[in-house]
Amino acid sequence: MPDAKPAPAKALSAPQKALHKLGLTRDIDLALHLPLRYEDETRVVRLADARDGQTVQVEGTVTHSEVSLRPRRQLLVTLDDGSDTCTLRFFSFYPSHQKALAVGARVRVRGEVRGGFMGRTMVHPAFHAAGGELPDALTPVYPTSAQLPQAYLRKVVASGLARADLSETLPPELLDGLKAVVHGTWTLRDALRYLHHPGPDVSLDALEDRSHPAWQRLKAEELLAQQLSQLTAKRERDALRAPTLRAVPGGLHEQLLAVLPFALTGAQRRVGEEIARDLARPVPMHRLLQGDVGSGKTVVAALAAAIAIDSGWQCALMAPTEILAEQHFAKLVGWLEPLLAPLGQRVAWLTGSQKKKQRSEMLALIASGEAALVVGTHAVIQDQVVFQNLALAIIDEQHRFGVAQRLALRSKMGPGSASPSTGSGRTEVGLAETLPGTSPAGDPVRAELVEACPEPGRGPLEQEPHLLMMTATPIPRTLAMSYYADLDVSTIDELPPGRTPIVTKVVSDQRRHEVIERIRAQVAQGRQVYWVCPLIEESEALDLSNATATHAELSDALSGTVVGLLHSRMPVAEKKAVMSLFTSGHMGVLVSTTVIEVGVDVPNASLMVIEHAERFGLSQLHQLRGRVGRGAAASACVLLYTPPEGGRLGETARERLKAMAETSDGFEIARRDLEIRGPGEFLGARQSGAAMLRFADLATDGHLLDWARGAAARMLVQHPAAAEKHIARWLGSKAEYLKA
């Protein structure tokens, strides 16, 4: 008998599609879809006892019902509960409303009571026929979409909560530690049931600010899942193999140190040694190098590249914008090209705007291995770019790159990556070789690696390049402990000598003429000035000054001074010409959008004016400010703000500007930015696809994060099956996003 044909898949209804769009596909997803707020339908209040502005539930009889056409069409219903009367007002209604609210009907109504000249009213209250038992718990109001009515959502969430596997994943010893942190013996099942249907006597404040023990239990579980996911990703990477890279005595690394026109700071030396130790290990480095604006990250990256090249391998440096990539290229060519030339090697340049002939030349150099270092934009990871043997990938301003882009760079080892290029005189260090000061037996990760290493002839482990990510947005401690828990973090916490402190002034746009006078004085002294605008054209708001208008205004006001304009829509050649004029000192003032935010280095620029500073994020303001103060001249940053018509700046904007005026410490700026805006801005595309923390708040839940870090390390080693179940419950497929 032939096999029966499978039944055709049943088409999803509109509400089911909406559930999928919200990510509510599993029972556990529904159970974790928590209310935004609650409505109290557990009691009926007498109208006479209700205060103006209070949301109450009342029960009474309809004594009057009519459709009024003035001042606009509306349904007016009078309700009498025996203690007082109230007018129910509906501007949007159907015949079914009129039928349910006909004279004589007894109804239960819930809404906000408002007083007035014409007596008490409720506008668009919820209503249904009176009678029936009152609920014994608050009614949840869930985050939803247009296709998902609350009644439907309440029903599916309740059924998902009933079916979901909420069995305990935490082993007893971790539960004991959690009880001390959460203050109580709440299980996940108890916490979820309570948060979906809290009793009427609960403190709404404790629910809304998420300080209730039920919330604490939930947040602790979420943080644990995130920590487990990060540690799992780190462990998986530690099981991969990478080329072992060591500096050759008298080689490129030492030669570069000798020709640098400055001495390294103590912090630069320290992080350089941390990176060198990582590169010498046979597992892929996954390190984040953070340092404030101007702290000297590029030279540390150059020294790391020199170690890779010394070992006979290639290195790639990728930057988010052509201007930043070009800055790196100019510096690295100046430092490394004279040292590479005798070896028959060079630095290659790769961007999307290159002419076909030049691009083909560069691709050939990269494929042959003659290009020992490749600098460029995202063009570096395109399919046609084939490295001979890439061993080190450096990503600048890593939060600007998406997960897919970072993974693509990691996969660019190249066809010849099984061993270093010939003629280097280097041999690859085997996995079983002991690192200085360690032994496989004494290091659990290395012991695991040695065990996993195949015997000779059985084929190599999968290889990946070492990955060094750089950021000038310092990461607060709690963020480093949570979202970046899978990374090793190096910090340059010392500025090079000779950097002048920057004075920051917050000035109203009404004093714009004074600022222009200050610019005139700076230019007269031979100094240069940046003027940054938030928009190119007047698309967002008609009264917003744009870069073009400001350029015209400053050109008129500063006759005899070359005033340039730079924005993202200009052709690349034009951008280069403008930057060249400014860098060489021939241009006194550069009006720009935020394309100069990172990487531009002009020591003679001593004044930065940021127009509409209230529209910029705190870390962005700090990055922009770092473009001045790079030389010996006293430098200033003017934050020009425009208060809204007839009002004052919003609290968030005021907090940002205040923080900028009070401190120039990047770590303090980052801490305040986290307080003001939460972690999203720091992470960039790291959290592509979904925010990894829905419930926990890094600003207030540090104690839970501390518990989760310790618990995750123990659970992964001692209870791996429970750890896997915990990750699957909380993160599902989202765990993949943390691996990059």
Side-chain angles (χ1 to χ4, degrees), residues 526-594:
R527 300 287 164 215
Q528 290 169 278
V529 179
Y530 295 103
W531 185 300
V532 182
C533 302
L535 287 182
I536 299 169
E537 54 192 24
E538 298 177 346
S539 55
E540 192 168 311
L542 290 174
D543 62 344
L544 186 67
S545 292
N546 57 64
T548 312
T550 301
H551 175 252
E553 176 192 7
L554 293 177
S555 297
D556 288 346
L558 304 167
S559 56
T561 300
V562 179
V563 180
L565 176 62
L566 189 69
H567 60 70
S568 58
R569 297 188 189 173
M570 288 164 62
V572 172
E574 209 175 314
K575 278 188 204 169
K576 284 182 181 173
V578 172
M579 276 310 300
S580 174
L581 281 172
F582 191 67
T583 308
S584 64
H586 290 99
M587 181 183 287
V589 180
L590 177 61
V591 178
S592 166
T593 56
T594 52

Side-chain angles (χ1 to χ4, degrees), residues 47 134 160 223 287 304 322 361 387 495 504 551-552 659 733:
L47 271 170
L134 291 168
L223 285 164
R287 186 169 287 277
E322 281 205 21
E361 283 173 17
F387 287 86
L495 287 178
T504 303
H551 175 252
S733 62

Side-chain angles (χ1 to χ4, degrees), residues 297 460 513 567 654:
K297 295 183 292 298
H513 62 284
H567 60 70
R654 283 204 312 277

Side-chain angles (χ1 to χ4, degrees), residues 493-506:
D493 50 9
E494 179 184 357
L495 287 178
R499 292 296 300 256
T500 53
I502 303 164
V503 177
T504 303
K505 297 285 185 190
V506 179

